[in-house]
Amino acid sequence: MEIVIVIVGAGIGGLSAALALAIAGHSVQILESSSTLAEIGAGVQLTPNATRYFWKWGLGPELIEHAVLPESFNILSLNNGNLIGAVDFTNFTQQYGAPYIVIHRADIHRILYEHCVKAGAKLRLGSKVVNYSIEDGELQLSGGQEMSADLIVACDGIHSLARGFLNPGLGGEDGMQKTGWAAYRKMVPVSALKRDELTEYLAREQNGNCWVGEGKLMMAYLVKGATILNLVLSHRDDVDTTSWGPEKYGKEIRKLFADVGDVPRRLLKLSNPGAVNYPVGQVRRLERWRSWSGKMVLMGDAAHAMAFYLSMGVSMAVEDAEALAECLRMGEERGEGLGKVMGVFEGVRKGRAESVRDASMHAGDVLQVSGEEKKERDRWIGRDGVVEGGMERQGEGEEEFWKKGLRYGIADRRIREWCYGYDVAEEVKRAW
């Protein structure tokens, strides 16, 4: 049965939801507050639990054309460059049913939009929502126009207005929580990498690399058809950069990373002038994601924005999209109303998203530990989550297993299984 759905927000999460729901046969309209359709930012890492659904929705060939498929993820010492551990990505398609890819945000955004149009979804730009009637499935735009739908899906991002209507006092900035970390972002032209004998291997091997230090790290990965190396420089969120220009950014970054090894230092020298600093925030734990009538629901960053240290933020929004489409399909099969359907959706997604959010924050802390804790972390990374006597097993009902020891997600086999091996469609079926 076709239902009328309005999606608020045309970011990656909103377009993923629009595509999944339009493919399922629903009438989908997307409202975007901006007057242009554009995704800002640099690269985004898409894990197999997300790419699995992109392939299902038909995006695979175009993603492969524009993405980089790293063969490994290497964790190294920021000070001396010694390899601490490496994760082989080449078997991910066989193991998880889809690859791990890195793609520029603008590319994935454009590809998603084109597929939404083909599936019949309609986009309306310059449509800023200013008010919701959450139990009635109604909203009001800034120009005064009122709209209604069978279901409103709020994908309005980290500073979500909709979140505050479902959770009073937690809309916009009030729903955000500081993590204590921030990240400078810079770019290095691959042409510059290739000309330098110290860095040319980074262009040739196309792997992900993360140099970890005390209270800081440098992450590097290729985007834009392997023409740009994206640098993410994590650091403590203890400086106000709002008045900084390119010269000040350069001076402070060089000062912060003065004690690093040869390759990270060279990358900073080769990088383009200037930088951008992003405080790393996350959404607070919410009481609910949906209205009691089931006519309005949150998803994506509006519900569970998280730190980037597990590279799972975008992937969780894609999981949300598939879960929502599957909940509606199964609700129709069983003759259930939207109140029941959205209750199942929230039950499946909320706990999973909160756990991954907390694990992402833990991962960031682990990567940037100091002193003797570095040795324990390096042991965990070096053995890929395998404990003495073999890989440990997750006990029935065990929670927060990822906190056991100083273990880092991507370099821990058990956490990878939990993140990448998760099948959201199967979880929805079990919940019914």
Side-chain angles (χ1 to χ4, degrees):
M1 180 181 69
E2 176 184 285
I3 66 172
V4 176
I5 301 173
V6 169
I7 294 176
V8 181
I12 295 175
L15 293 180
S16 295
L19 181 56
L21 295 168
I23 289 173
H26 301 296
S27 172
V28 178
Q29 183 173 27
I30 312 159
L31 303 179
E32 168 57 41
S33 61
S34 174
S35 59
T36 59
L37 186 65
E39 181 76 358
I40 60 172
V44 58
Q45 303 188 49
L46 296 173
T47 56
N49 53 306
T51 55
R52 185 184 308 132
Y53 300 111
F54 284 148
W55 259 247
K56 174 185 173 182
W57 301 336
L59 279 60
E62 289 150 282
L63 292 179
I64 291 295
E65 181 182 352
H66 294 279
V68 172
L69 278 70
E71 293 187 354
S72 72
F73 183 81
N74 308 312
I75 302 171
L76 311 101
S77 166
L78 185 61
N79 296 109
N80 57 33
N82 290 344
L83 181 68
I84 299 169
V87 181
D88 182 5
F89 283 0
T90 58
N91 66 341
F92 273 21
T93 298
Q94 180 180 358
Q95 187 173 3
Y96 301 117
Y100 189 114
I101 70 173
V102 183
I103 190 168
H104 197 278
R105 282 184 177 269
D107 289 330
I108 179 61
H109 198 246
R110 174 184 52 78
I111 292 167
L112 272 169
Y113 171 67
E114 290 172 355
H115 279 261
C116 282
V117 172
K118 290 177 186 176
K122 293 178 172 57
L123 172 67
R124 178 172 167 173
L125 298 172
S127 299
K128 182 179 180 180
V129 179
V130 295
N131 196 21
Y132 292 93
S133 178
I134 62 174
E135 299 299 343
D136 301 318
E138 296 174 351
L139 57 80
Q140 185 180 41
L141 302 179
S142 57
Q145 181 184 354
E146 295 181 348
M147 298 179 65
S148 63
D150 297 319
L151 173 64
I152 296 172
V153 183
C155 308
D156 53 340
I158 194 168
H159 302 298
S160 170
L161 172 73
R163 184 171 63 231
F165 281 82
L166 289 164
N167 299 269
L170 294 180
E173 292 288 340
D174 294 332
M176 294 302 300
Q177 188 174 41
K178 291 185 176 182
T179 65
W181 298 107
Y184 300 118
R185 292 184 179 267
K186 293 177 69 66
M187 292 183 290
V188 183
V190 165
S191 57
L193 295 180
K194 290 179 176 179
R195 289 193 299 266
D196 193 301
E197 63 180 14
L198 192 62
T199 61
E200 63 83 21
Y201 78 95
L202 294 172
R204 175 168 35 85
E205 297 180 358
Q206 300 193 4
N207 296 323
N209 292 282
C210 184
W211 291 268
V212 295
E214 297 190 0
K216 58 191 174 187
L217 64 79
M218 175 186 289
M219 193 176 294
Y221 52 90
L222 292 162
V223 294
K224 272 291 180 188
T227 61
I228 295 171
L229 185 76
N230 197 47
L231 295 183
V232 181
L233 312 174
S234 179
H235 62 96
R236 299 193 187 282
D237 185 16
D238 56 6
V239 290
D240 181 3
T241 64
T242 52
S243 64
W244 290 11
E247 186 176 339
K248 177 67 170 177
Y249 267 115
K251 178 182 177 181
E252 293 300 321
I253 290 173
R254 287 192 298 272
K255 179 180 176 182
L256 179 64
F257 287 85
D259 59 347
V260 303
D262 293 339
V263 173
R265 182 181 292 110
R266 187 65 56 85
L267 290 175
L268 290 177
K269 184 177 180 180
L270 295 174
S271 65
N272 290 335
V276 180
N277 185 53
Y278 293 98
V280 178
Q282 62 183 17
V283 166
R284 298 179 185 276
R285 193 172 292 253
L286 305 177
E287 180 180 344
R288 60 174 176 154
W289 289 14
R290 42 98 187 199
S291 63
W292 305 124
S293 66
K295 287 182 170 290
M296 181 166 160
V297 67
L298 291 176
M299 60 160 276
D301 278 354
H304 52 66
M306 60 189 65
F308 64 83
Y309 299 104
L310 283 183
S311 302
M312 285 282 284
V314 172
S315 295
M316 294 301 289
V318 177
E319 281 188 9
D320 289 346
E322 176 67 11
L324 188 57
E326 186 67 11
C327 281
L328 287 169
R329 184 188 69 79
M330 296 197 72
E332 182 184 352
E333 281 185 0
R334 288 159 173 74
E336 297 285 359
L338 283 174
K340 169 70 173 178
V341 171
M342 293 305 116
V344 172
F345 173 79
E346 182 185 84
V348 170
R349 297 304 300 150
K350 190 170 181 290
R352 159 83 170 168
E354 289 170 349
S355 293
V356 173
R357 180 204 59 192
D358 293 346
S360 297
M361 192 62 260
H362 180 70
D365 293 339
V366 165
L367 283 177
Q368 299 170 96
V369 293
S370 304
E372 289 299 309
E373 286 186 315
K374 290 191 298 182
K375 295 179 181 178
E376 182 187 351
R377 177 205 61 201
D378 292 354
R379 284 195 294 270
W380 276 101
I381 290 174
R383 63 194 184 207
D384 195 24
V386 177
V387 298
E388 198 171 317
M391 182 179 171
E392 62 174 316
R393 297 185 179 275
Q394 184 174 353
E396 188 78 23
E398 182 184 355
E399 296 181 356
E400 297 188 341
F401 70 92
W402 39 266
K403 277 189 176 179
K404 183 179 180 181
L406 291 174
R407 58 204 309 167
Y408 169 59
I410 294 176
D412 187 286
R413 191 182 310 175
R414 187 176 174 200
I415 298 177
R416 288 199 305 275
E417 288 290 334
W418 176 59
C419 288
Y420 308 158
Y422 183 84
D423 188 331
V424 71
E426 285 300 315
E427 291 299 319
V428 169
K429 290 173 185 174
R430 274 195 282 270
W432 280 97

